[in-house]
Amino acid sequence: MNVIETTIDTRSETYRKNFETMSALVEDLNKELKIAWDVRSEKSLKRLAEVGKLPTPKKLELLLDPNTPFLEIGSLAARGMYDGKIHKAGTVIGVGVVAGREVLVFANDPTIKGGSSYPMTVKKSLRGQIIAMENRLPSVNLLDSAGAYLPLQSEIFPDADDGGRIFYNQALMSKMGLPQITAVMGLCTAGGAYIPAMSDEVVHVRGHGAIFLGGPPLVKAATGEEVTADELGGAELHCGESGVSDYYAEDDAHAIAIVRQLVANLPPNEKTRLACRPPRPPLYDPKEIYGIVPRDIAEPYDIREVIARIVDGSEFMEFKEMYGSTLVCGIAHIHGYPVGILGNNGILFSESALKGTQFIQLCDRRGIPLVFLQNITGFIIGRDYERGGITKNGHKMVNAVSTATVPKFTVMVGASFGAGNYAMCGRGYSPRFLWTWPNHQIGVMGGAQAADVLVTLQNDQRARAGQPPLTPEEAALIREPVIAAAIKEGDAYYSTSNLWDDGIIDPAKTRDVLGLSISAALNAPLRCDTWGYGIFRM
């Protein structure tokens, strides 16, 4: 393959300023990640220690194989929501290695409102289940939850993608033959009781773990019966009488040891084989990405320079290099895995869309996973471009992205606006994993453009009514709140808090994150037997 020859001058003033800006963004990201992991009330930590429970980080340490990576999902979910203290939406979810096997791990954090489920907790749990189903991963659930946060029950309970969907997905996962192992380490109340009940195997910790549809207060209110949590749903009852639980554990550490043994006993899973090569590092330092990406997200840069710092040996076989130049396509390897990369080098024209469509088809037919490096303001607009068929040509690329059966992975490396989000495999197009950089911005359009559109519409209405156009002061009253909202809601942290992505990552770690993502995806078949597309409008 051809080696990408960098043209970046790492001694230039522009590079230095870009590097400083991105370094500051990454430093802020690391601070936010540390807060999400470490900031807990002293009262909750003390109470956990007093009753002999392990904190969630320690549980994960015991569960995961030593010195193996953990690909966390939604690390900043619910950031800034509710009272600002529901870190990680109250639960840790990610892909990790247990007894040599990649599994999807769910772990409630009882130091956050007793492990109560908030609306974003439900959304994050559902995202974890989708990852397990799409990538055919076994799941391990370290369960300790006080159930739904009742003041917000209307946002948790009734709708199609609310709490009940978790149990629906569990049934589907069981039908798919995906093992589900649950360790009951605390309360499993009301709907939460169905999580262990619908699992393949259940480990129950004595003294702490309790499974019941209605807790002691509800039982007393409904029947007048007074009963303790242990009498109502403890390990002795469910392991010895009801049969809900299968394994009796003395404490959290014992329960985790049993879980590890259960995972080790699972039948082997033959992962999908690709035409892999021995992995090699890029020729250039991945941290140089900091100096490549401009401080202003509207400023263009050559996406090949990013690709050169992500792929093995900085080697890239570019497809149609001289055609549709605003979309860069080509074959490379990441940690030895072959991938087809599509990266934006500007707005999408008809030629770019047709090029992307053909490249996606080639990779899909040949069983090559797709990686989208998204930095896109949208498709070109205007009368001449509409006459040239930009709408139908853009549709072809959206069709190809939608129906491709190979695993897709998206990294938001800059802007994500309008239909460009769709064509470059945004969240709605089911990438197996979607990651963002801290400079990422997203929206239907930029704030200034949205504000100008609204002012224009208002002036058109006034003209039809025979009224004068808006004064600069009146226009400012429209523009300013629109721009402010776009800045707030288009921010990378707003996006990740709402789980529009799977997490913000350090740009220098993009290669490793993609390697872990691809590895997880290969637990599922490529499903190339379902290859095919809908109607392409000619």
Side-chain angles (χ1 to χ4, degrees):
M1 286 192 185
N2 299 325
V3 173
I4 297 175
E5 296 288 344
T6 187
T7 61
I8 298 297
D9 180 3
T10 58
R11 296 166 297 180
S12 71
E13 182 69 6
T14 298
Y15 178 91
R16 183 187 65 79
K17 289 181 177 179
N18 289 344
F19 196 99
E20 289 175 354
T21 299
M22 184 62 80
S23 295
L25 291 175
V26 172
E27 184 178 352
D28 289 342
L29 172 62
N30 289 332
K31 288 177 182 177
E32 291 289 342
L33 293 172
K34 183 173 175 56
I35 289 170
W37 266 116
D38 296 342
V39 175
R40 301 294 184 271
S41 72
E42 289 295 328
K43 181 180 177 181
S44 64
L45 292 171
K46 183 179 179 181
R47 184 173 183 278
L48 203 70
E50 286 174 348
V51 298
K53 288 185 178 183
L54 295 176
T56 301
K58 183 62 178 180
K59 290 178 184 176
L60 292 172
E61 179 186 330
L62 294 175
L63 176 68
L64 301 171
D65 290 359
N67 302 315
T68 59
F70 182 63
L71 187 63
E72 189 179 359
I73 305 299
S75 54
L76 296 176
R79 173 188 174 273
M81 294 184 179
Y82 314 119
D83 63 358
K85 299 177 182 178
I86 312 304
H87 305 297
K88 299 180 182 292
T91 185
V92 178
I93 297 176
V95 180
V97 180
V98 177
R101 183 77 170 264
E102 285 171 310
V103 304
L104 203 290
V105 177
F106 300 81
N108 296 110
D109 190 339
T111 63
I112 297 179
K113 304 292 186 182
S116 295
S117 289
Y118 283 71
M120 291 306 298
T121 316
V122 172
K123 185 174 182 179
K124 184 173 177 178
S125 298
L126 292 174
R127 173 61 187 151
Q129 289 181 317
I130 291 297
I131 290 172
M133 288 189 281
E134 287 183 340
N135 301 293
R136 301 298 193 273
L137 293 169
S139 61
V140 168
N141 199 323
L142 307 182
L143 193 57
D144 187 350
S145 173
Y149 182 65
L150 294 179
L152 298 177
Q153 64 86 23
S154 65
E155 300 176 42
I156 297 171
F157 172 70
D159 211 348
D161 285 323
D162 285 343
R165 192 74 177 188
I166 292 173
F167 317 126
Y168 175 90
N169 285 345
Q170 280 193 270
L172 293 183
M173 291 160 70
S174 183
K175 182 179 179 180
M176 293 168 66
L178 303 179
Q180 300 174 70
I181 299 169
T182 293
V184 178
M185 300 174 142
L187 296 180
C188 301
T189 308
Y194 289 113
I195 293 177
M198 299 187 74
S199 298
D200 295 57
E201 295 176 288
V202 178
V203 182
H204 202 138
V205 178
R206 74 173 182 88
H208 298 156
I211 305 171
F212 33 64
L213 295 180
L218 183 58
V219 169
K220 183 177 181 180
T223 69
E225 180 183 9
E226 293 195 9
V227 63
T228 67
D230 203 49
E231 292 169 339
L232 189 60
E236 284 79 7
L237 180 133
H238 285 309
C239 287
E241 297 183 45
S242 74
V244 170
S245 303
D246 308 304
Y247 304 94
Y248 186 93
E250 295 292 337
D251 54 29
D252 288 354
H254 184 207
I256 292 171
I258 295 172
V259 168
R260 286 183 52 81
Q261 186 175 347
L262 294 175
V263 174
N265 291 341
L266 294 176
N269 176 52
E270 186 68 26
K271 293 180 68 170
T272 294
R273 293 183 179 274
L274 300 175
C276 295
R277 297 180 177 181
R280 290 177 296 144
L283 294 182
Y284 314 107
D285 184 355
K287 204 166 184 178
E288 289 178 358
I289 292 173
Y290 291 9
I292 292 168
V293 178
R295 289 159 287 162
D296 182 356
I297 200 166
E299 184 179 334
Y301 64 95
D302 190 351
I303 197 65
R304 295 177 187 87
E305 295 288 358
V306 172
I307 294 171
R309 288 154 180 84
I310 291 176
V311 302
D312 292 6
S314 301
E315 293 179 346
F316 184 62
M317 188 70 179
E318 189 163 348
F319 177 73
K320 286 186 184 294
E321 182 178 357
M322 300 171 65
Y323 180 80
S325 59
T326 59
L327 183 67
V328 174
C329 303
I331 302 296
H333 289 75
I334 295 177
H335 279 286
Y337 300 116
V339 294
I341 296 176
L342 296 92
N344 297 118
N345 250 5
I347 202 164
L348 287 169
F349 291 81
S350 281
E351 296 83 356
S352 317
L354 292 171
K355 171 181 172 178
T357 301
Q358 183 183 357
F359 183 69
I360 290 167
Q361 288 180 313
L362 287 171
C363 291
D364 197 26
R365 173 67 79 161
R366 296 171 183 174
I368 300 173
L370 292 163
V371 172
F372 294 82
L373 302 178
Q374 187 174 137
N375 180 25
I376 182 67
T377 55
F379 285 92
I380 191 68
I381 58 174
R383 184 173 61 182
D384 289 343
Y385 297 109
E386 292 294 352
R387 185 178 295 157
I390 184 61
T391 299
K392 69 177 183 180
N393 292 326
H395 134 78
K396 294 181 179 73
M397 187 172 175
V398 171
N399 189 323
V401 170
S402 303
T403 53
T405 62
V406 292
K408 298 172 289 188
F409 308 89
T410 301
V411 185
M412 304 286 201
V413 301
S416 176
F417 292 114
N421 171 279
Y422 307 153
M424 289 299 292
C425 200
R427 182 61 120 186
Y429 290 75
S430 296
R432 296 291 182 89
F433 296 91
L434 187 153
W435 309 100
T436 66
W437 286 358
N439 63 317
H440 166 60
Q441 292 180 21
I442 189 168
V444 174
M445 62 182 74
Q449 292 84 355
D452 288 343
V453 167
L454 292 176
V455 169
T456 299
L457 291 174
Q458 185 71 266
N459 281 332
D460 288 346
Q461 290 176 3
R462 292 172 72 95
R464 287 194 296 270
Q467 299 173 345
L470 296 168
T471 66
E473 292 76 16
E474 290 171 329
L477 290 175
I478 294 175
R479 281 196 177 94
E480 289 172 4
V482 171
I483 293 173
I487 292 172
K488 175 187 174 183
E489 296 173 6
D491 180 70
Y493 287 102
Y494 190 91
S495 172
T496 205
S497 177
N498 283 279
L499 286 169
W500 298 346
D501 56 56
D502 293 317
I504 304 176
I505 62 173
D506 180 344
K509 296 179 180 178
T510 302
R511 166 182 166 81
D512 293 338
V513 169
L514 283 172
L516 293 171
S517 302
I518 296 167
S519 177
L522 294 181
N523 285 278
L526 290 177
R527 300 197 307 271
C528 288
D529 57 324
T530 61
W531 185 88
Y533 295 87
I535 300 298
F536 285 133
R537 183 173 293 280
M538 299 304 175

